[in-house]
Amino acid sequence: ETGVTQTPRHLVMGMTNKKSLKCEQHLGHNAMYWYKQSAKKPLELMFVYNFKEQTENNSVPSRFSPECPNSSHLFLHLHTLQPEDSALYLCASSVGQGANEQYFGPGTRLTVT
Amino acid sequence: AQSVAQPEDQVNVAEGNPLTVKCTYSVSGNPYLFWYVQYPNRGLQFLLKYITGDNLVKGSYGFEAEFNKSQTSFHLKKPSALVSDSALYFCAVRHIMNYGGSQGNLIFGKGTKLSVKP
């Protein structure tokens, strides 16, 4: 509905697994973002990409590895996660930053067992 | 450091009554202010924003918000609440050093759950 899709919508993984989250935007935007949403906490910005270049890494542990092959696609590669990494991971995009609003995908609900 | 405060975890309103969801902010420069709504099992959806100009901004679904610089507030309002307005509402701020200058990332409040009862 918003022009930003995320797959999978739900993911359960063990602490030794490797998985990837995918985000795709069909809006022609040039900036893309990964956020983490945990219960009772504000949204946490994880990574920002502008024209495929990473412009922000908000002190995210190395077990999260982003990839932005082009302005329409964004991945989040996951490995050796911890149970506290269980959360809703949201992808967003915008026309640049500044005054422009962000459009969010529906999120991937991640559970680490 | 910039920050956003949403002092109420939950707001309860009867259908047809006016609603207000509060937001205050703290930034070192001029603010860009945003409201987003999140329905269950969905991502955030943009409602409205204040950039400059008229302090009263109107957005989607009949919502509006008033920028008050002296009180550093940007409260979300609607004259007549609907049951379908029940959702989680997020205020967000980005600081701008002299419009068009350097800017920080978007900072979100922790959210306010709005419950509208019939």
Side-chain angles (χ1 to χ4, degrees), chain A residues 1-2 9 33 35 37 41-43 45 48 56 88 90 97-102 104-107, chain B residues 32 34 36 38 41-46 49 51 88 90 94 96 103-106 108-111:
Chain A
E1 299 157 3
T2 63
R9 292 292 308 275
Y33 312 78
Y35 287 90
Q37 185 177 26
K41 292 177 69 175
L43 255 67
L45 178 66
V48 180
E56 184 82 23
L88 182 68
L90 292 166
Q97 297 182 264
N100 297 307
E101 59 271 21
Q102 295 177 14
F104 284 80
Chain B
Y32 288 169
F34 302 80
Y36 289 83
Q38 186 178 30
N41 301 314
R42 305 276 286 275
L44 277 68
Q45 188 175 330
F46 169 73
K49 65 183 179 183
I51 304 302
L88 193 55
F90 292 92
R94 172 181 286 130
I96 309 297
Q103 53 194 268
N105 287 312
L106 198 58
F108 285 85
K110 61 179 175 57

Side-chain angles (χ1 to χ4, degrees), chain B:
Chain B
Q2 56 180 345
S3 64
V4 178
Q6 293 182 244
E8 303 152 318
D9 289 339
Q10 181 155 344
V11 171
N12 298 310
V13 178
E15 187 174 33
N17 283 1
L19 69 87
T20 299
V21 183
K22 296 179 180 177
C23 172
T24 58
Y25 65 90
S26 174
V27 299
S28 53
N30 295 303
Y32 288 169
L33 293 155
F34 302 80
W35 275 102
Y36 289 83
V37 60
Q38 186 178 30
Y39 298 100
N41 301 314
R42 305 276 286 275
L44 277 68
Q45 188 175 330
F46 169 73
L47 274 180
L48 51 78
K49 65 183 179 183
Y50 171 80
I51 304 302
T52 186
D54 194 348
N55 290 344
L56 183 65
V57 293
K58 295 185 183 296
S60 307
Y61 312 119
F63 285 93
E64 59 188 31
E66 185 166 13
F67 171 61
N68 188 318
K69 189 171 183 177
S70 63
Q71 297 186 4
T72 62
S73 68
F74 189 57
H75 301 330
L76 182 70
K77 300 183 179 185
K78 187 173 182 180
S80 179
L82 300 172
V83 172
S84 57
D85 292 330
S86 298
L88 193 55
Y89 289 81
F90 292 92
C91 181
V93 66
R94 172 181 286 130
H95 81 270
I96 309 297
M97 301 299 291
N98 305 316
Y99 287 108
S102 63
Q103 53 194 268
N105 287 312
L106 198 58
I107 303 297
F108 285 85
K110 61 179 175 57
T112 298
K113 182 179 180 181
L114 173 67
S115 178
V116 182
K117 300 294 185 184

Side-chain angles (χ1 to χ4, degrees), chain A:
Chain A
E1 299 157 3
T2 63
V4 181
T5 59
Q6 290 186 245
T7 55
R9 292 292 308 275
H10 300 271
L11 178 62
V12 179
M13 60 186 289
M15 289 190 284
T16 58
N17 290 158
K18 289 184 180 181
K19 296 286 184 182
S20 296
L21 310 185
K22 179 183 177 182
C23 175
E24 184 174 1
Q25 58 95 0
H26 310 273
L27 301 168
H29 292 167
N30 53 275
M32 296 188 77
Y33 312 78
W34 279 117
Y35 287 90
K36 177 183 179 182
Q37 185 177 26
S38 305
K40 308 294 185 183
K41 292 177 69 175
L43 255 67
E44 299 174 57
L45 178 66
M46 300 175 72
F47 301 103
V48 180
Y49 278 82
N50 205 16
F51 290 104
K52 304 188 300 177
E53 298 298 320
Q54 188 180 123
T55 57
E56 184 82 23
N57 177 338
N58 203 19
S59 303
V60 181
S62 59
R63 57 186 183 270
F64 294 91
S65 175
E67 179 189 1
C68 188
N70 54 61
S71 293
S72 299
H73 294 85
L74 186 64
F75 295 88
L76 187 63
H77 304 299
L78 317 171
H79 65 98
T80 59
L81 295 191
Q82 305 298 311
E84 60 264 29
D85 296 324
S86 298
L88 182 68
Y89 288 85
L90 292 166
C91 173
S93 70
S94 66
V95 177
Q97 297 182 264
N100 297 307
E101 59 271 21
Q102 295 177 14
Y103 290 78
F104 284 80
T108 295
R109 173 69 63 188
L110 174 66
T111 302
V112 181
T113 61

